[in-house]
Amino acid sequence: MSAWGVVKTVFFTGLTLAFFFVIWIYNPFAHKETYELPEDVTKIIEDPKAALEGRNLFKQNCASCHSVRYDGMYLLSVETKPEWEKILKTMGRPIIEKKEGKVQVKGYYLPRDVYEAVALQDLENLKASFGKVPPDLSTIYLARGPGYLYQFILDPQKVLPGTSMPKLFFPEYDKEAPQKVAKIVAYLRSVSEPPPSEKAKRTVMGVVTVGYFVIMGVILWFYRKRLLEKMGLH
Ligand code: HEC
């Protein structure tokens, strides 16, 4: 390769690397806002046991307005419909859970269109009361992150002024309130994250995919002359 060739290669490689660095690692154009998250709260959010307690807290405090379809959690008013069990079993996909080595059905996942058709009246009622259908929270953790969720659930108006989401926890009267909110965030996190076995599978998939491209690249590099000759280009 000529000196000029080397300069060109270095220049374009550098440009490509800089581009992906900006897009993936340090993006100065991305909107960033930080929400305070005390350290003990972070610990609770990452604790799988807290997530289990958070599930109950969610059912008591939030399931009157919000569903978490990925976890088989639906509006309480929908779950009291007489035909509900049948709909779940005929239209739903079982959500499997391993508990002490035993496989159990934890609930049923319903496709969004089916759920919304069944829950239409309930969702309309909520919309009439709050101006907006409270969103399904299956992936809200991925969208908003722990800091936002913790602060928002503690005090919705502070984070999203004018929102119709009510304040449900009052640290002034309930000393446990911050921990309860943290447990709910832990629950939302546990729902949005795939189980460890699934995560491991994805990592292996990623490594195999990248490995394939590297090996193919090396093979092509070694055989480039012969390939070009075959194509009549050399
Ligand atoms: C009385 C109904 C009601 C209850 C109970 C309720 N919410 Fe909401 N929630 C809403 C409404 C309405 C919205 C949409 C607000 C908006 O977009 O302004 C909302 C929005 C949200 C959002 C989305 C915020 C965003 O940035 O998009 C989250 C997260 C949330 N609620 C969490 C919870 C949790 C956790 C609980 C239980 C502790 C809960 N909600 C209980 C009505 C409710």
Side-chain angles (χ1 to χ4, degrees):
M1 210 191 282
S2 66
W4 180 232
V6 173
V7 171
K8 267 201 297 199
T9 307
V10 169
F11 177 74
F12 284 111
T13 308
L15 205 64
T16 309
L17 288 179
F19 176 77
F20 283 105
F21 181 77
V22 165
I23 296 291
W24 284 340
I25 298 172
Y26 171 73
N27 189 338
F29 309 112
H31 173 79
K32 256 202 208 102
E33 224 160 315
T34 46
Y35 296 92
E36 204 191 326
L37 196 61
E39 209 167 296
D40 52 327
V41 170
T42 307
K43 262 200 208 124
I44 297 176
I45 291 175
E46 287 169 3
D47 177 6
K49 253 204 213 131
L52 282 180
E53 289 176 50
R55 190 177 198 275
N56 289 331
L57 286 165
F58 188 96
K59 194 144 205 163
Q60 291 157 18
N61 294 287
C62 322
S64 49
C65 292
H66 293 282
S67 56
V68 185
R69 284 187 307 112
Y70 286 15
D71 189 44
M73 168 93 68
Y74 302 97
L75 288 181
L76 295 177
S77 58
V78 175
E79 294 193 332
T80 57
K81 287 182 197 294
E83 69 278 17
W84 178 242
E85 282 295 316
K86 199 172 154 208
I87 292 169
L88 275 185
K89 290 199 175 131
T90 49
M91 313 284 269
R93 180 157 55 72
I95 302 170
I96 306 293
E97 178 188 47
K98 262 195 194 149
K99 218 175 192 179
E100 290 150 13
K102 269 194 238 150
V103 178
Q104 294 179 327
V105 176
K106 179 177 159 193
Y108 289 86
Y109 167 82
L110 273 187
R112 178 173 173 170
D113 50 355
V114 174
Y115 175 64
E116 287 183 351
V118 178
L120 185 64
Q121 195 52 54
D122 309 74
L123 296 171
E124 295 257 327
N125 292 346
L126 284 169
K127 187 167 177 190
S129 309
F130 299 100
K132 204 169 186 181
V133 178
D136 180 271
L137 298 180
S138 300
T139 56
I140 199 80
Y141 183 88
L142 294 176
R144 303 278 193 263
Y148 177 96
L149 288 179
Y150 177 72
Q151 297 295 347
F152 176 76
I153 298 165
L154 260 186
D155 195 349
Q157 289 301 330
K158 208 168 94 188
V159 175
L160 205 63
T163 182
S164 49
M165 156 94 183
K167 183 172 159 85
L168 295 154
F169 293 94
F170 298 87
E172 309 88 280
Y173 308 116
D174 178 7
K175 263 212 198 129
E176 296 278 303
Q179 280 93 312
K180 285 183 186 162
V181 172
K183 284 173 186 168
I184 290 173
V185 179
Y187 167 62
L188 293 173
R189 174 175 182 265
S190 72
V191 174
S192 76
E193 293 243 310
S197 61
E198 181 64 21
K199 256 196 197 162
K201 241 193 261 168
R202 288 183 198 183
T203 309
V204 172
M205 275 279 285
V207 171
V208 168
T209 308
V210 172
Y212 172 80
F213 282 118
V214 169
I215 292 169
M216 280 309 278
V218 170
I219 291 175
L220 278 175
W221 175 256
F222 277 113
Y223 286 95
R224 65 192 186 282
K225 261 202 183 136
R226 198 148 2 124
L227 286 171
L228 285 173
E229 269 163 21
K230 264 194 185 161
M231 289 191 275
L233 296 171
H234 205 271

